[in-house]
Amino acid sequence: MSGITLLQHGLTGISLGGAYALIAIGYTMVYGILRLINFAHGDIFMMAGYFMIFAVASMPWYLAIPLVMFLTVLLGVTIERVAYKPLRSAPRMSIMISAIGVSYLLQNLATYLFTALPRGYPEIPFLKKSFHVGELSASLVTLITPFLTILLTFLLMSLINHTKLGMAMRAVSKDYETSQLMGIKINRVISATFAIGSLLAFVGSVLYFTDRMTVFPFSGTLPGLKCFVAAVLGGIGSIPGAVIGGFILGIGETALVALGYSTFSDAFTFAILIVMLLFRPTGLFGEKVTDKV
Amino acid sequence: MRKIIASTLVLLLILSSFAGCGGGGDSTENIIKVGVFEPVTGENGGGGFQEVLGIRYANTVYPTVEIGGETYTVQLVEVDNKSDKTEAVTAAQRLISEGVSAVIGSYGSGVSIAAGAIFAEAQVPAVGASCTNPQVTAGNDYYFRVCFLDPFQGTVMANYAFQNGAQTAAVITQLGDDYSSGLGSYFVQAFNELAGEGAVVSEQQFQTNQTDFKALLTNIKAENPDVIFAPSSITTAPLIIKQARELGITCPIMGGDTWENATIIENAGADAEGIVLSTFFDEAEPATDEAASFISGFKAYLVENNQDEIIPAVAALGYDAYLTVLEAIRQADSADSVAIRDALPGISIEGVTGAISFDANGDANKDMAFIKTVQDGQFKFLMNVSVE
Amino acid sequence: MKTLDRKANYILSAILAGIAILVLFYMDSNRATYSYPLAILQRSAIYAVVAVAMNLLTGFTGLFSLGQAGFMAIGAYTVAILTIPVELRPDVYYINGIAEPLAQASAPLWAALVLGGLLAAFMGFLIGYPVLRLKSDYLAIATLGFSEIIRAFIAAPLLDRVTNGSYGLKSIPGFSSTLISFFVAALCIFLMVLVIRSSYGRAFKAIREDEVAAESMGINLFKHKQMAFVISCFFTGISGGMLAVFMRSIDSKTFQIGLTYDILLIVVLGGIGSITGSILGSFLMTAGREWLRFFDDPLVIGGFNVPLFRSGFRMVIFSLILMTVVLYYRKGLLGNREFSWNGIYAFLQRLSQRLKRQKVSKEVGKDD
């Protein structure tokens, strides 16, 4: 494989990895606090894409972005309140089934409202600027994605480590009942977690869909699952871990396709999951106390 | 209270399973039922719906048929097979239960193959409008089709590419989809024969629901083919096209008959300029008189139904399939499904997509395909291609 | 409260079974008119087997597994490969041809089904080693992962000559009589009931309730979990085989994760831990899906077009119903109880007592 092709693949890989990382953070945060695999997270990401399509149709993009951001966060928090809160004291299985149910509902809702045909994602002007360096081609969004991811992760870690809310989040993820006893408003913390997760999903969706250019109702399912694997890979509950996991998966998947094994790209993701669970269930960065959410 | 609600629901739902059985039995009016077996939801819902429109329009133009000297009203029974094979089986069974004498459909070879066995067992003939995979009619005496087949289509596209100077090609197919993989294989066979072994320099596959094609397109770019052939559904086509252009791939991109759909132009935008596809029909070049009146009448019908004024090829095929069924009923002079089936091989009519007659396999004797391209955001007719 | 004695129970059950068999027989003989309800009932029966198998794992042993689709695929492909008539095989494998050893391999339906089940069970056995030691949520994702891996292998071009990869398998001969599918389904469910009622079944339930306590009572956790997993996979494989025969053609897209979700929702609807609940849930779900079709067509009441009724609405309603069940009727229809004549009898008695009480008392008492 020529150097240029390798570089091109590398760009694709880290861009994909960045998008995965942003979504994986959402999974890991929710799991850290609620011990819940939020199957619906991938679909929130998909709905954010649709919201954007409709928002941009009626208003300029710089107004649309904050609106959609707000809507996505609202969606995430509402789902938590309606579908997860009543089941907090129920056995773990029930809440996971509820998550699957919400995911199913969102997909069917999207199919009903927007039809199964793909819709074009609006082009945010400066993001789609193409760069050609010799044989290498990329659009601005491909290049920005990894940097934006790392920046956001950094911001998030500061939030976790240096603010009161962050401290509350860490406390709740460490010990749910005791935190309640110590006066931490659990509902607020959980809502805040979902809000942050949805926010990141929104950013991820902007980056991902601008690159992919169309949205359809099932755009969120497979990335959702893969991002959960990324979160496990990095160590569930650890944000930097989720980011690293996302990048590893994105690059690994691209590498597989580059080598001609595209048939197994999905299988590869799950194989990694199983290997991780077998040999290092806490993930690459699990057990790092200070960074856990 | 809860239990009462629950029990009532249970009872209702169990009873509803019998809601579907309402065998034919209309002795007051003369009605002959024709089933419409199409996906209206699911992956192929868009195309399926367009086909349904064509069939419905045909029903408004020819609402009755003469059997044994009496006039029968043709009643369409529509079922949605949801682009899913499991659903297709149940949907097909529903049509049989309704007592249809013949079936038209489906868009999507996979569901047609699935339902084929059911129709054959019930001895109800089916006329496919746009399902191009050879497996639909192979070994099935009760399935016919009015469109050309994938082996033909693959050869046509390979011929076109070769005649326009392509020496190397790359092929992208969808893993798990029989239409895409089948058509892709036929293209590979034909192109390798024309341009020599190994002329297809890259064969890539993608997964269902995959949206990121950058990696496999990068592989293709490295091989620098003269043309890319990517038979795929409407969902993935704009993605492949846009991402290829973004990566700097400049060679022409070709697709199969599924690409003739306005959504591709909508979603791929400017990048769709220059793509080439094969299709069954062109509204600017009416093949027959029937076609001319169809074009004007159907455009009005589309506007009535809040659709764009561009006639989708599959709608024209749906129209032709309806005409075929009607002609078979006339020839058989009966509403019995077996008689209709026996009459089908012998018919010969002028449809809007050309002359229609069937060969021994139940496939239409179509030796011509229309090649279209996209120019200025519209589909434009390029040429007819015939294959001996 | 009076209860029905055992004899009455058996008689009632026998009557119900007899009626069911007669109805099915009648429908089968008039297959043309009744093919639609028959198809629905057959599909429900097939899903019922998987649902009970999943319940065995989830409801009775507490192992949340999402790998059903993959095991069904194994069973389905085995049955398909072995039962497609030999002379039709070259046609079905029309692109790449069929692998030599398989070209002539053929087996009668029942043998193919059993073999499919055994292969699925074997895969379950192998997969169990790494996976059964994981906690419930990880177990779910790991089994989901395996299901996708299995599907990837089935569709892979390198197995084209065995599974026909993306081109799918067709010309699978159908059931010669629909009664066969019901018979096989009933047999499978009966066997699973036997397992659950045995001492192994009690061990499974113990594991579900409290793993630590079970272990201290001498139950070998891993061995029993593996047993439950393998048995469940066996029957899941068989039902996959039946699905292949019912559908007459399969490909890898049939066995996506959505299929597992469907089964899961059936189990939830019927009640996790209730066998009759799963059977009932299966019929409800399959019939309900068809019945709700009218939501997909525009509804016109007195000339006024009711706005929401468009295609796709049915699935939304369906998902809403399921969310309601998950949130508010968490135990599903039957919870972890079983359907019994006693139950109905007691229900009727309570109903009549309540009606009597309402008549007698003048107060507007709170009901329920």
Side-chain angles (χ1 to χ4, degrees), chain A residues 31 35 37 39 82-83 86-87 90-94 96-98 100-102 104-105 108-109 112-113 225 228 232 236 263-264 267 270-271 273-274 277-278 281, chain C residues 58 64 130 134-135 137-138 141-142 144-146 148-149 152-153 156-157 257 261-262 264-265 268 272 289 308 310-313 315-316 319-320 323 326-327 330:
Chain A
Y31 192 84
R35 300 278 175 261
I37 304 175
F39 281 99
V82 170
L87 294 174
R92 287 265 281 285
M93 218 185 285
S94 304
M96 227 198 308
I97 295 179
S98 174
I100 294 181
V102 173
Y104 201 52
L105 176 64
N108 287 324
L109 204 59
Y112 167 67
L113 289 173
L225 280 175
F228 177 71
V232 170
I236 199 87
T263 359
F264 298 106
F270 289 109
L273 171 75
I274 292 167
L277 289 177
L278 275 185
Chain C
T58 317
F64 191 25
L134 301 170
K135 277 187 310 184
D137 1 13
Y138 288 142
I141 296 275
L144 190 83
F146 267 115
E148 283 295 297
I149 294 179
F153 270 99
I257 307 178
Y261 283 177
D262 283 348
L264 176 66
L265 295 169
V268 168
I272 301 180
R289 264 215 166 122
L308 291 173
R310 268 201 331 247
S311 69
F313 195 46
M315 290 313 289
V316 175
S319 325
L320 284 174
M323 279 312 292
V326 168
L327 288 175
R330 220 179 310 139

XYZ file of all heavy atoms in Angstrom, chain A residues 31 35 37 39 82-83 86-87 90-94 96-98 100-102 104-105 108-109 112-113 225 228 232 236 263-264 267 270-271 273-274 277-278 281, chain C residues 58 64 130 134-135 137-138 141-142 144-146 148-149 152-153 156-157 257 261-262 264-265 268 272 289 308 310-313 315-316 319-320 323 326-327 330:
631
model
N -23.165 4.693 32.122
C -22.923 3.404 32.769
C -22.264 3.606 34.114
O -22.569 2.926 35.092
C -22.052 2.500 31.897
C -22.024 1.092 32.397
C -23.027 0.199 32.064
C -21.016 0.646 33.239
C -23.030 -1.086 32.535
C -21.010 -0.638 33.718
C -22.016 -1.499 33.363
O -22.013 -2.782 33.841
N -25.101 2.297 35.977
C -24.858 0.900 35.623
C -25.854 0.467 34.555
O -26.373 -0.628 34.570
C -24.994 -0.030 36.838
C -24.037 0.280 37.936
C -22.673 -0.332 37.663
N -21.722 0.086 38.694
C -20.855 1.070 38.533
N -20.797 1.732 37.417
N -20.038 1.394 39.519
N -26.606 0.245 30.339
C -26.151 0.427 28.967
C -27.272 1.142 28.242
O -28.310 0.552 27.966
C -25.892 -0.925 28.281
C -24.903 -1.742 29.089
C -25.382 -0.710 26.883
C -24.698 -3.127 28.511
N -28.962 1.819 25.514
C -29.080 1.447 24.114
C -29.645 2.572 23.273
O -29.451 2.614 22.072
C -30.016 0.236 23.954
C -29.366 -1.067 24.277
C -29.544 -1.657 25.508
C -28.575 -1.696 23.346
C -28.941 -2.862 25.810
C -27.974 -2.907 23.643
C -28.158 -3.482 24.874
N -38.551 9.743 31.815
C -39.739 8.934 31.520
C -39.461 7.442 31.571
O -40.248 6.666 32.099
C -40.287 9.322 30.128
C -41.355 8.356 29.700
C -40.819 10.728 30.154
N -38.345 7.052 31.016
C -38.134 5.612 30.837
C -37.164 4.980 31.823
O -37.209 3.774 32.018
C -37.641 5.342 29.418
N -38.374 5.667 36.556
C -39.297 4.800 37.303
C -38.708 3.428 37.596
O -39.180 2.722 38.466
C -40.501 4.663 36.357
C -40.361 5.738 35.366
C -38.933 6.075 35.270
N -37.657 3.062 36.843
C -37.151 1.702 37.002
C -35.887 1.653 37.828
O -35.183 0.653 37.843
C -36.884 1.097 35.618
C -38.142 0.883 34.783
C -37.765 0.423 33.398
C -39.016 -0.160 35.431
N -35.720 -1.186 40.115
C -36.060 -2.489 39.549
C -34.797 -3.287 39.241
O -33.722 -2.721 39.207
C -36.860 -2.275 38.261
N -34.940 -4.580 39.019
C -33.749 -5.354 38.676
C -33.101 -4.837 37.399
O -33.764 -4.261 36.552
C -34.290 -6.780 38.457
C -35.742 -6.664 38.450
C -36.127 -5.434 39.170
N -31.822 -5.054 37.260
C -31.043 -4.481 36.172
C -31.626 -4.812 34.812
O -31.588 -4.019 33.888
C -29.611 -5.003 36.227
C -28.836 -4.401 37.337
C -28.051 -3.228 36.830
N -26.857 -3.679 36.152
C -25.783 -4.144 36.767
N -25.772 -4.219 38.080
N -24.740 -4.540 36.090
N -32.129 -6.019 34.690
C -32.650 -6.458 33.409
C -33.761 -5.541 32.925
O -33.849 -5.215 31.749
C -33.174 -7.880 33.560
C -32.895 -8.732 32.374
S -33.661 -10.317 32.571
C -32.589 -11.072 33.762
N -34.637 -5.120 33.855
C -35.779 -4.308 33.426
C -35.322 -3.009 32.804
O -35.851 -2.573 31.794
C -36.676 -3.979 34.615
O -37.073 -5.137 35.250
N -32.538 -2.360 31.387
C -31.899 -2.576 30.093
C -32.942 -2.828 29.028
O -32.830 -2.344 27.902
C -30.949 -3.776 30.180
C -29.625 -3.437 29.569
S -28.600 -4.807 29.135
C -28.563 -5.726 30.627
N -33.982 -3.578 29.389
C -35.053 -3.823 28.434
C -35.739 -2.510 28.092
O -36.120 -2.268 26.952
C -36.054 -4.835 29.006
C -35.360 -6.174 29.183
C -37.246 -4.986 28.095
C -36.249 -7.233 29.773
N -35.883 -1.651 29.099
C -36.474 -0.349 28.835
C -35.631 0.432 27.851
O -36.148 1.085 26.946
C -36.614 0.416 30.146
O -37.056 1.723 29.907
N -33.702 -0.802 25.550
C -33.922 -1.384 24.223
C -35.263 -0.912 23.673
O -35.392 -0.583 22.494
C -33.889 -2.924 24.301
C -32.502 -3.390 24.686
C -34.306 -3.541 22.987
C -32.369 -4.887 24.768
N -36.270 -0.841 24.576
C -37.584 -0.389 24.141
C -37.546 1.044 23.631
O -38.156 1.369 22.614
N -36.835 1.909 24.335
C -36.735 3.311 23.900
C -36.035 3.386 22.551
O -36.444 4.131 21.665
C -35.978 4.157 24.937
C -35.731 5.543 24.394
C -36.755 4.242 26.217
N -35.951 1.152 20.225
C -36.911 0.665 19.251
C -37.928 1.763 18.917
O -38.247 2.011 17.759
C -37.620 -0.540 19.886
C -38.278 -1.495 18.954
C -37.589 -2.054 17.883
C -39.595 -1.892 19.153
C -38.200 -2.967 17.054
C -40.196 -2.800 18.329
C -39.499 -3.335 17.286
O -40.105 -4.238 16.459
N -38.426 2.417 19.972
C -39.422 3.462 19.772
C -38.862 4.599 18.939
O -39.505 5.088 18.012
C -39.908 3.985 21.131
C -40.883 5.159 21.082
C -42.162 4.736 20.418
C -41.178 5.648 22.491
N -38.578 3.597 15.263
C -39.874 3.549 14.587
C -40.459 4.943 14.433
O -41.097 5.251 13.425
C -40.845 2.657 15.355
C -40.495 1.198 15.199
O -40.050 0.772 14.145
N -40.678 0.435 16.240
N -40.244 5.779 15.410
C -40.728 7.152 15.326
C -40.057 7.869 14.168
O -40.693 8.580 13.393
C -40.419 7.877 16.644
C -41.293 9.074 17.000
C -42.735 8.615 17.078
C -40.860 9.637 18.337
N -41.443 6.639 10.950
C -42.785 7.159 10.721
C -42.749 8.624 10.324
O -43.395 9.053 9.380
C -43.611 6.972 11.994
C -44.902 7.721 12.010
C -45.929 7.380 11.145
C -45.105 8.771 12.887
C -47.127 8.073 11.163
C -46.297 9.454 12.910
C -47.307 9.105 12.047
O -48.482 9.795 12.078
N -41.969 9.418 11.068
C -41.979 10.851 10.819
C -41.214 11.231 9.554
O -41.609 12.122 8.824
C -41.361 11.590 12.015
C -42.198 11.598 13.278
C -41.409 12.209 14.408
C -43.471 12.396 13.053
N -23.849 0.592 19.120
C -23.279 -0.617 19.706
C -21.762 -0.572 19.711
O -21.104 -0.925 20.691
C -23.731 -1.837 18.905
C -25.130 -2.327 19.222
C -25.496 -3.442 18.290
C -25.210 -2.801 20.656
N -20.408 1.512 22.361
C -20.419 0.886 23.668
C -19.203 -0.007 23.814
O -18.547 -0.045 24.862
C -21.700 0.084 23.903
C -21.686 -0.628 25.220
C -21.804 0.096 26.381
C -21.491 -1.984 25.293
C -21.756 -0.531 27.614
C -21.442 -2.623 26.512
C -21.566 -1.892 27.673
N -16.229 0.031 26.646
C -15.752 -1.125 27.411
C -14.266 -1.314 27.190
O -13.511 -1.593 28.118
C -16.493 -2.409 26.974
C -15.843 -3.630 27.576
C -17.931 -2.332 27.385
N -14.910 0.853 31.302
C -16.203 1.482 31.485
C -16.169 2.366 32.721
O -15.676 1.991 33.764
C -17.292 0.388 31.571
C -18.640 1.007 31.292
C -17.295 -0.297 32.884
C -18.953 1.050 29.857
N -15.681 -7.498 5.162
C -16.771 -8.353 5.632
C -16.759 -8.479 7.130
O -17.785 -8.636 7.766
C -16.623 -9.784 5.094
O -15.483 -9.839 4.279
C -17.843 -10.213 4.373
N -15.548 -8.461 7.680
C -15.450 -8.748 9.096
C -15.333 -7.504 9.958
O -15.038 -7.603 11.140
C -14.244 -9.659 9.354
C -14.387 -10.982 8.669
C -13.663 -11.282 7.540
C -15.292 -11.916 9.147
C -13.816 -12.488 6.891
C -15.451 -13.123 8.506
C -14.711 -13.412 7.379
N -17.750 -7.738 12.780
C -17.394 -8.876 13.622
C -16.154 -8.550 14.435
O -16.024 -8.943 15.595
C -17.159 -10.100 12.755
N -16.894 -6.675 17.635
C -17.413 -7.517 18.699
C -16.387 -8.507 19.201
O -16.361 -8.857 20.382
C -18.674 -8.243 18.229
C -19.832 -7.314 18.075
C -20.321 -6.970 16.826
C -20.406 -6.741 19.194
C -21.371 -6.098 16.704
C -21.459 -5.867 19.072
C -21.944 -5.541 17.824
N -15.512 -8.933 18.306
C -14.466 -9.851 18.756
C -13.570 -9.152 19.776
O -13.197 -9.731 20.793
C -13.647 -10.330 17.558
N -14.473 -6.837 21.739
C -15.239 -6.768 22.974
C -15.078 -8.034 23.784
O -14.770 -8.005 24.981
C -16.723 -6.565 22.642
C -17.639 -6.702 23.830
C -17.531 -5.492 24.706
C -19.064 -6.878 23.392
N -15.251 -9.157 23.103
C -15.213 -10.424 23.829
C -13.823 -10.685 24.386
O -13.668 -11.120 25.533
C -15.683 -11.548 22.893
C -17.162 -11.321 22.624
C -15.447 -12.895 23.487
C -17.702 -12.125 21.514
N -13.391 -8.546 27.408
C -14.148 -9.014 28.566
C -13.516 -10.244 29.188
O -13.613 -10.472 30.378
C -15.594 -9.307 28.166
C -16.430 -8.067 27.869
C -17.821 -8.477 27.422
C -16.530 -7.191 29.096
N -12.882 -11.022 28.319
C -12.267 -12.238 28.844
C -11.008 -11.947 29.629
O -10.788 -12.491 30.702
C -11.872 -13.137 27.675
C -12.958 -14.045 27.135
C -12.355 -14.927 26.077
C -13.515 -14.887 28.263
N -11.430 -7.375 31.887
C -12.788 -6.829 31.910
C -12.885 -5.387 32.357
O -13.851 -4.710 32.056
C -13.534 -7.741 32.889
C -12.519 -8.599 33.520
C -11.267 -8.522 32.784
N -33.328 -16.384 30.446
C -33.495 -15.095 31.105
C -34.374 -15.198 32.331
O -34.033 -14.696 33.389
C -34.131 -14.096 30.127
O -33.518 -14.237 28.866
C -33.960 -12.697 30.643
N -29.100 -12.914 31.023
C -29.669 -12.081 29.985
C -28.840 -12.218 28.709
O -27.779 -11.635 28.590
C -29.662 -10.635 30.487
C -30.465 -9.704 29.631
C -31.501 -10.160 28.846
C -30.187 -8.352 29.612
C -32.247 -9.299 28.072
C -30.927 -7.480 28.846
C -31.955 -7.946 28.086
N -16.177 -18.531 27.361
C -15.770 -17.170 27.706
C -16.895 -16.330 28.297
O -16.656 -15.499 29.162
C -15.334 -16.591 26.358
C -15.997 -17.407 25.338
C -16.150 -18.768 25.916
N -19.431 -13.676 32.732
C -19.590 -12.229 32.788
C -20.853 -11.831 33.516
O -21.787 -12.595 33.624
C -19.637 -11.674 31.358
C -18.416 -11.971 30.511
C -18.699 -11.588 29.082
C -17.237 -11.197 31.037
N -20.846 -10.584 33.963
C -22.043 -10.055 34.628
C -23.149 -9.854 33.609
O -22.900 -9.771 32.428
C -21.702 -8.691 35.262
C -21.045 -8.782 36.609
C -20.914 -7.382 37.193
C -20.295 -6.444 36.168
N -20.048 -5.105 36.674
N -25.077 -7.469 32.277
C -25.097 -6.562 31.129
C -24.006 -6.890 30.134
O -24.195 -6.764 28.927
C -24.992 -5.086 31.505
C -24.862 -4.856 32.988
O -24.616 -5.818 33.726
O -25.029 -3.708 33.386
N -22.847 -7.307 30.638
C -21.790 -7.673 29.707
C -22.161 -8.934 28.951
O -21.828 -9.094 27.787
C -20.474 -7.876 30.447
C -19.868 -6.589 30.930
C -19.221 -6.512 32.146
C -19.951 -5.437 30.168
C -18.662 -5.342 32.586
C -19.397 -4.260 30.607
C -18.755 -4.212 31.811
O -18.208 -3.059 32.251
N -24.288 -7.970 25.971
C -23.560 -7.421 24.825
C -22.650 -8.465 24.193
O -22.487 -8.513 22.977
C -22.738 -6.196 25.250
C -23.666 -5.100 25.715
C -21.894 -5.715 24.121
C -24.191 -4.251 24.620
N -22.050 -9.316 25.017
C -21.157 -10.328 24.453
C -21.937 -11.297 23.566
O -21.503 -11.636 22.462
C -20.436 -11.087 25.567
N -24.743 -10.678 22.092
C -25.131 -9.897 20.920
C -23.990 -9.872 19.922
O -24.170 -10.042 18.711
C -25.473 -8.470 21.363
C -26.121 -7.590 20.329
C -27.590 -7.882 20.300
C -25.899 -6.152 20.639
N -22.794 -9.668 20.461
C -21.626 -9.642 19.605
C -21.437 -10.950 18.865
O -21.176 -10.977 17.660
N -21.603 -12.057 19.566
C -21.433 -13.350 18.914
C -22.464 -13.556 17.830
O -22.178 -14.129 16.783
C -21.520 -14.486 19.943
C -20.189 -14.884 20.470
C -19.870 -14.693 21.798
C -19.237 -15.428 19.632
C -18.624 -15.036 22.278
C -17.993 -15.776 20.102
C -17.676 -15.582 21.427
N -23.734 -11.296 15.976
C -23.300 -10.561 14.793
C -22.110 -11.231 14.120
O -21.974 -11.227 12.896
C -22.920 -9.128 15.169
C -24.115 -8.241 15.391
C -24.901 -8.044 14.108
O -24.354 -7.484 13.148
O -26.068 -8.477 14.068
N -21.229 -11.803 14.916
C -20.071 -12.490 14.338
C -20.543 -13.680 13.508
O -20.073 -13.913 12.394
C -19.091 -12.946 15.448
C -18.480 -11.733 16.122
C -18.007 -13.830 14.882
C -17.528 -12.078 17.234
N -21.855 -12.431 10.337
C -20.796 -11.995 9.421
C -20.202 -13.188 8.697
O -19.930 -13.142 7.500
C -19.720 -11.240 10.190
N -20.017 -14.290 9.427
C -19.448 -15.472 8.791
C -20.388 -16.059 7.753
O -19.976 -16.519 6.703
C -19.100 -16.536 9.842
C -17.719 -16.384 10.356
C -17.490 -15.743 11.557
C -16.644 -16.828 9.621
C -16.198 -15.572 12.029
C -15.357 -16.664 10.086
C -15.135 -16.029 11.290
N -20.151 -14.038 4.653
C -18.816 -13.799 4.115
C -18.607 -14.497 2.783
O -18.995 -15.644 2.612
C -17.773 -14.286 5.124
N -17.971 -13.811 1.856
C -17.732 -14.422 0.550
C -16.921 -15.706 0.608
O -17.070 -16.575 -0.239
C -16.954 -13.342 -0.213
C -17.364 -12.079 0.424
C -17.588 -12.398 1.867
N -30.037 -8.206 14.390
C -30.327 -8.024 15.817
C -31.818 -7.790 16.054
O -32.340 -8.139 17.101
C -29.553 -6.800 16.353
C -28.090 -6.928 16.012
C -29.696 -6.705 17.848
C -27.292 -5.735 16.460
N -34.418 -8.715 19.233
C -35.242 -7.746 19.954
C -36.700 -8.160 19.933
O -37.412 -8.029 20.925
C -35.103 -6.357 19.327
C -33.821 -5.643 19.684
C -33.530 -4.418 19.136
C -32.912 -6.193 20.565
C -32.367 -3.745 19.452
C -31.737 -5.539 20.878
C -31.477 -4.311 20.320
O -30.325 -3.656 20.623
N -37.161 -8.669 18.781
C -38.557 -9.121 18.705
C -38.825 -10.196 19.742
O -39.832 -10.169 20.448
C -38.851 -9.704 17.322
C -39.039 -8.620 16.279
O -39.162 -7.452 16.679
O -39.066 -8.951 15.089
N -37.165 -10.808 22.449
C -37.073 -10.239 23.788
C -38.378 -9.564 24.182
O -38.871 -9.728 25.298
C -35.936 -9.208 23.823
C -35.782 -8.465 25.147
C -35.358 -9.428 26.227
C -34.773 -7.347 25.028
N -38.937 -8.833 23.216
C -40.169 -8.132 23.529
C -41.319 -9.107 23.749
O -42.200 -8.845 24.562
C -40.478 -7.125 22.421
C -39.404 -6.015 22.379
C -39.527 -5.174 21.145
C -39.528 -5.162 23.609
N -40.881 -10.263 27.279
C -41.270 -9.229 28.237
C -42.779 -9.107 28.305
O -43.359 -9.019 29.382
C -40.665 -7.868 27.820
C -41.282 -6.751 28.622
C -39.173 -7.892 28.005
N -41.536 -12.379 32.149
C -40.261 -13.082 32.277
C -40.410 -14.128 33.362
O -40.625 -13.817 34.511
C -39.152 -12.085 32.653
C -39.053 -11.013 31.587
C -37.842 -12.800 32.825
C -37.998 -10.001 31.860
N -49.238 -7.433 15.483
C -48.559 -6.741 14.414
C -49.415 -6.676 13.170
O -49.504 -5.649 12.509
C -47.306 -7.508 14.057
C -46.096 -7.018 14.716
C -44.984 -7.191 13.768
N -43.863 -6.449 14.224
C -42.697 -6.981 14.469
N -42.523 -8.263 14.317
N -41.699 -6.233 14.862
N -52.968 11.474 11.811
C -51.769 10.715 12.100
C -51.591 9.426 11.322
O -50.528 8.850 11.304
C -51.743 10.383 13.588
C -51.522 11.576 14.510
C -51.698 11.141 15.934
C -50.145 12.135 14.294
N -50.599 7.155 8.927
C -49.748 7.061 7.735
C -48.953 5.800 7.877
O -48.908 5.220 8.950
C -48.755 8.222 7.750
C -49.167 9.434 7.045
C -47.982 10.303 6.678
N -46.832 10.280 7.483
C -46.422 11.321 8.211
N -47.166 12.390 8.261
N -45.299 11.264 8.885
N -48.270 5.439 6.853
C -47.491 4.214 6.969
C -46.394 4.412 7.996
O -45.756 5.442 8.054
C -46.899 3.827 5.631
O -45.914 4.740 5.279
N -46.176 3.418 8.796
C -45.171 3.521 9.836
C -45.802 3.796 11.186
O -45.178 3.599 12.219
N -47.055 4.220 11.187
C -47.705 4.552 12.447
C -47.897 3.302 13.295
O -47.808 3.341 14.525
C -49.050 5.216 12.167
C -49.636 5.914 13.353
C -48.863 6.734 14.144
C -50.964 5.745 13.703
C -49.393 7.386 15.249
C -51.505 6.391 14.799
C -50.723 7.204 15.570
N -45.983 0.741 13.695
C -44.834 0.362 14.506
C -44.657 1.319 15.669
O -44.181 0.931 16.740
C -43.559 0.333 13.652
C -43.534 -0.807 12.663
S -44.008 -2.390 13.370
C -42.594 -2.734 14.379
N -45.050 2.590 15.472
C -44.945 3.533 16.583
C -45.890 3.124 17.703
O -45.517 3.077 18.878
C -45.266 4.973 16.110
C -45.280 5.915 17.281
C -44.252 5.430 15.093
N -44.498 0.136 19.453
C -43.426 0.442 20.395
C -43.969 1.116 21.643
O -43.490 0.855 22.744
C -42.390 1.370 19.758
O -42.233 1.101 18.417
N -44.977 1.974 21.472
C -45.548 2.633 22.641
C -46.197 1.621 23.574
O -46.029 1.683 24.793
C -46.587 3.678 22.210
C -46.007 4.968 21.659
C -47.101 5.861 21.124
C -45.227 5.688 22.753
N -43.444 -0.063 25.425
C -42.867 0.765 26.477
C -43.803 0.807 27.682
O -43.350 0.775 28.824
C -42.649 2.202 25.972
C -41.404 2.404 25.152
S -39.939 1.693 25.903
C -39.713 2.737 27.314
N -43.366 -2.310 29.582
C -42.095 -2.345 30.296
C -42.127 -1.438 31.524
O -41.585 -1.758 32.573
C -40.947 -1.918 29.357
C -39.685 -1.674 30.128
C -40.715 -2.973 28.308
N -42.794 -0.291 31.383
C -42.752 0.650 32.486
C -43.804 0.380 33.555
O -43.545 0.535 34.737
C -42.952 2.081 31.949
C -41.750 2.639 31.182
C -42.090 3.990 30.597
C -40.569 2.768 32.109
N -44.762 -4.191 34.496
C -43.449 -4.776 34.349
C -43.439 -6.289 34.373
O -42.557 -6.926 33.831
C -42.526 -4.266 35.459
C -41.139 -3.986 34.945
C -40.260 -3.473 36.016
N -40.872 -2.385 36.742
C -40.788 -2.251 38.049
N -40.110 -3.131 38.749
N -41.344 -1.230 38.663
